[in-house]
Amino acid sequence: MQKTFRESDILGRLGGDEFVMMLSDTGMDEVNALLNRFNEAVIEMNLRFNKPYSIKFSAGAVSFPYDTRLSLDDMIAKADIDNVCT
């Protein structure tokens, strides 16, 4: 994940196999482009490793103004509910 996303993006592990990526000053078009790039990296990794299983992911993306009053937990919960894609 660190190789796919930008240096300014913040990656955190929520637990188990759940991660959160915080992107600042990023429009939804750029979010979609980053998710597409990550998807391509996952596909390439699955082909390269040639395991009897495939790594898959799902993503939720939501935008907040820079001065949101929502807590980090509330923002993550909203992203988990809204706009889920695989």
Side-chain angles (χ1 to χ4, degrees), residues 16-75:
D17 62 353
E18 292 184 315
F19 294 84
V20 65
M21 182 69 67
M22 303 293 283
L23 314 173
S24 62
D25 196 27
T26 307
M28 289 308 292
D29 287 342
E30 192 170 2
V31 169
N32 288 328
L34 287 165
L35 286 173
N36 286 334
R37 189 167 75 187
F38 181 65
N39 187 52
E40 290 170 8
V42 169
I43 290 169
E44 189 274 327
M45 183 192 67
N46 283 326
L47 292 172
R48 187 168 24 105
F49 289 163
N50 195 28
K51 298 285 185 183
Y53 57 86
S54 293
I55 302 296
K56 296 182 180 182
F57 73 97
S58 62
V62 65
S63 179
F64 299 98
Y66 74 93
D67 60 349
T68 184
R69 296 208 182 270
L70 292 174
S71 70
L72 182 59
D73 288 336
D74 289 340
M75 288 189 284

